[in-house]
Amino acid sequence: MADQTVLTRPAAEDEWLRDARRARALSIATLVWLGAESVLGLAAGLGSHSVALIGWGMSSLVEALASLIVVWRFTGSRTHSADAEDRARKGVAISFWLLAPYLVAHVAYDLDMGHRAAPSALGAVVTTVSLVSMPLLGLAKRRLGARLHSAATAGEGTQNLLCALLAAGVLAGLALNGAGWWWADPAVAVLLAAVAVREGWKSWRGHSCCH
């Protein structure tokens, strides 16, 4: 029995380290895409006065912050540090909360100024790509987060899934705007703010791995 224990522990440790490297690699790959996504999303949103598109572009920057935190978490001596995991988990929670007040303020400003979203081909293309790709990244990170017992990794995955849902909402909002339902776009942005607050609270409490 003693010999079996000695053989099992290194194998489990090696698998954990492989998962940690996968989590870091996925976060780095996500950063590359989010950089392009945020620039294109903001350009499309500002050009069409779409609060939801602008909010979605801003959410890409917030997601990038979460990805950076996970890369930091699994680099060097921090890889095995419980303290680093705790700090990363809270950092991801804060990244959720950074988005909500911006969205609410921007919705209020655009409504006060009478801005109405216009159709955007660029916005439709970029959000469609994210609608397809982000669920794959998000689910992979949540699985890795569960295996690593890392709420920070799972929280980043949740942000990727949220990005996909937002992309669907933005596309629906743009379509409804074209049908005369101008309120759909700011409604999507406000919904995003509420979801961000909720997910941030779950990440802060360390529940992202389990829900």
Side-chain angles (χ1 to χ4, degrees):
M1 294 296 295
D3 290 340
Q4 183 178 1
T5 302
V6 170
L7 291 173
T8 301
R9 285 180 179 173
E13 175 69 10
D14 287 345
E15 182 61 30
W16 192 93
L17 286 173
R18 281 194 294 270
D19 284 340
R21 287 193 292 269
R22 290 187 191 108
R24 185 174 58 199
L26 283 177
S27 295
I28 292 172
T30 303
L31 277 172
V32 175
W33 167 243
L34 290 176
E37 181 182 273
S38 61
V39 171
L40 295 173
L42 288 171
L46 291 170
S48 61
H49 289 292
S50 169
V51 185
L53 261 179
I54 293 171
W56 182 73
M58 288 295 296
S59 74
S60 297
L61 295 177
V62 174
E63 284 182 80
L65 176 59
S67 296
L68 281 172
I69 290 170
V70 172
V71 172
W72 172 88
R73 157 72 181 98
F74 290 113
T75 299
S77 61
R78 290 183 295 272
T79 300
H80 292 285
S81 171
D83 181 62
E85 170 60 28
D86 186 60
R87 292 165 65 186
R89 172 177 56 80
K90 291 179 178 178
V92 170
I94 292 170
S95 74
F96 274 112
W97 293 333
L98 289 175
L99 179 61
Y102 169 82
L103 285 176
V104 173
H106 203 97
V107 166
Y109 173 79
D110 269 29
L111 291 177
D112 183 59
M113 296 299 292
H115 291 162
R116 297 290 183 264
S120 170
L122 175 60
V125 170
V126 178
T127 50
T128 299
V129 172
S130 286
L131 181 59
V132 174
S133 63
M134 283 299 165
L136 301 176
L137 282 170
L139 291 173
K141 290 174 186 177
R142 284 184 64 84
R143 286 193 295 267
L144 283 171
R147 293 205 297 267
L148 293 166
H149 301 289
S150 170
T153 303
E156 187 201 355
T158 298
Q159 287 201 13
N160 296 152
L161 294 176
L162 179 58
C163 178
L165 290 174
L166 283 174
V170 169
L171 285 169
L174 292 173
L176 291 172
N177 282 332
W181 294 15
W182 63 266
W183 49 265
D185 188 80
V188 169
V190 172
L191 178 62
L192 165 57
V195 172
V197 170
R198 176 178 178 272
E199 292 300 329
W201 180 243
K202 286 171 62 178
S203 182
W204 184 271
R205 294 167 61 190
H207 290 177
S208 294
C209 288
C210 307
H211 294 79

